[in-house]
Amino acid sequence: MDIFQKVVENDPKGLESVLDGIGTVDPTNLLRGHTPLTLAIALGRTECTRILVHHASSRSLALARTDSGWRPFHEATSYGDRETIRLVYESMRRELGNWMNAKGASLLAELSNDLNDFYLELQWEFGSSWLPFLGQLCPSDVCKIHKKGSSVRIDTTLVGFENLQWIRGDISIIFSESKDGPKLVLCDHQRRIVQQVYPHDFSLSEQDIEEEVSISLNSPIVAAPEFDFSKIQVSQLQQGLIFKSNRVEMVGPYETSVYSLKNLTYTQKTRDEHLSVHPLPLFQLSASSNTSIAASLKPSKPQLAVVNSDDWASEDAPPQETIPISSVPADLNIPSDKPLDQLKAYRPSLNPPPSQSVTWEDFCNPSKKLALGRVHSVKESQKQISATLWMYNPDDGKPAEPDPSSLLGWVAKMAVDAAIGSTTSPGLTSQQDASKPSSFPIKLKTLLPLLDLMGMRNDHVRSLKDFLSVKLPPGFPVKIEIPINVLPLSAVVTFANVKVRGTQEDPAQFLSDSLFVIPGKRMGYLKGDVVEGTHGFADQRKDFLQG
């Protein structure tokens, strides 16, 4: 409470004194929906903002959200003061480095605790149930996961979706432990480029920082998509017209029960109040959005991903293949993306919002309406999403075992065997039961850290990990149909070709030590940015600066 008061009263010395006397500021402690840092930014308290950003006890506030889900970087962009944006941006870079260090240590611990070596494939199929023509244009992908000891290699060919085009490549994520500690790298085998993600130096040059500030001032504020799992309903699907029974389907060798997930809410929010404040940006995003959408819907030749010639290891290295989608429904709200050079165009600090004298008494009075910062211009889209799960549970649907010692029990046993197509006598195991897997060879908790690793590079995998993190029906989700953040499409993910060390299908042939070697100059690879975007950490920037 004292921290908020010092911010409202614009008392930097008092604020610093309060911070010196406490351990760590609780980032979840909000007043009027604000954290101390977002409040200081909204009120234009530059010196208080500087203290909160740099003080050891309040550094955790750099990533804390308001009750509406906005981060300090969002509020700094809205206010439009370049120095404040820079302060918050640099603090988030530091937090990003801390987060990556913790992520690497956590992943190493998770992999070390799991003693099993395995090979696994994630089969991705994209399509649309109500736009069949899109399904013909959508690609598929097989994501291959190799795990040996504490080393992991993940190979994928479907890189992403940008500007209405599916982007293909040949990317590997390699996590391995060396004498210098664990390393996480991205390998682009087409361009023969290696990017070290962890450990990573997140320091930037003065020019890079100034460009990031300009990009923020010239771009809409975009919050990360939010999934609300609080009201989700899970029900087992039925089959049969007259005699209803639980729906059962075979997925590979696994007999699965099919479940439906409903009432999953997906929310996307954007803000653009800063784009209409003087001095205006060199271009107007809102005025050109309809033109950009119309132009993007016109049939055109496939475009190739643009890569600087200096990034290529050889002149004959092929560019990433892109698959164009020629047309989409006109009523879809598709954001227009400006070229990075336009977004980097320098824009001075914005005119501040109208000043309002705020006293501590007024701030603590909930009935008193106060204008804190620039008035938000929020666009929010929300929709209900359904998903389908194919769960394999070897104990699911097993009938009670009758006592074969009695005649009645023997007859009951014969009836049960007849019902499942067995001709064996009591006490024997049918061939069908013998061939049925006793359990899925990999635990879900083993896959979650790997999906977390993959999600750093792929939004679709990130959505899959979010789904698997909720409380699921008993068993293992062998097959999942989930919506993705690309137009009206869904993805069907199947866990297939599972091979675990120590089982009949030993994965030794899939787990050569050479797979986990990080390629270098001797193999013709150069250091560079595999992740397309500003300064080589596009996905992290989305998570921490706009998410």
Side-chain angles (χ1 to χ4, degrees), residues 172-175 183-187 194-198 518:
S172 292
I173 304 172
I174 301 178
F175 182 90
K183 288 185 178 181
L184 172 63
V185 301
L186 300 177
C187 301
V194 175
Q195 177 184 355
Q196 183 166 305
V197 180
Y198 169 81
I518 299 175

Side-chain angles (χ1 to χ4, degrees), residues 380-424:
E380 180 175 316
S381 61
Q382 189 176 89
K383 59 182 178 180
Q384 296 288 328
I385 295 176
S386 299
T388 308
L389 296 174
W390 285 258
M391 304 294 299
Y392 174 67
N393 183 12
D395 298 327
D396 190 23
K398 284 187 178 181
E401 188 74 19
D403 182 8
S405 60
S406 64
L407 178 61
L408 183 59
W410 187 86
V411 173
K413 173 65 177 175
M414 292 295 293
V416 170
D417 289 343
I420 62 175
S422 172
T423 58
T424 58

Side-chain angles (χ1 to χ4, degrees), residues 416-452:
V416 170
D417 289 343
I420 62 175
S422 172
T423 58
T424 58
S425 301
L428 299 179
T429 304
S430 69
Q431 183 177 0
Q432 178 181 357
D433 287 341
S435 61
K436 182 178 179 180
S438 58
S439 63
F440 198 79
I442 297 178
K443 302 298 182 182
L444 186 58
K445 65 179 182 180
T446 300
L447 285 180
L448 288 180
L450 299 181
L451 295 177
D452 202 17

Side-chain angles (χ1 to χ4, degrees), residues 247-258 390 392 432 435-437 478-479:
R247 180 174 161 186
V248 176
E249 294 183 4
M250 294 298 298
V251 179
Y254 305 104
E255 185 179 277
T256 64
S257 299
V258 187
W390 285 258
Y392 174 67
Q432 178 181 357
S435 61
K436 182 178 179 180
V478 179
K479 182 178 176 181

Side-chain angles (χ1 to χ4, degrees), residues 191 496 508:
R191 297 188 294 160

Side-chain angles (χ1 to χ4, degrees), residues 136-183:
Q136 301 175 5
L137 299 171
C138 293
S140 60
D141 185 31
V142 177
C143 185
K144 301 177 181 179
I145 302 177
H146 314 74
K147 192 266 183 184
K148 185 175 184 180
S150 58
S151 298
V152 174
R153 174 177 172 139
I154 301 170
D155 299 326
T156 182
T157 61
L158 192 58
V159 177
F161 181 89
E162 294 179 2
N163 300 326
L164 303 183
Q165 294 176 336
W166 295 96
I167 302 176
R168 283 209 179 270
D170 186 4
I171 304 294
S172 292
I173 304 172
I174 301 178
F175 182 90
S176 63
E177 187 175 15
S178 64
K179 61 180 181 180
D180 299 326
K183 288 185 178 181

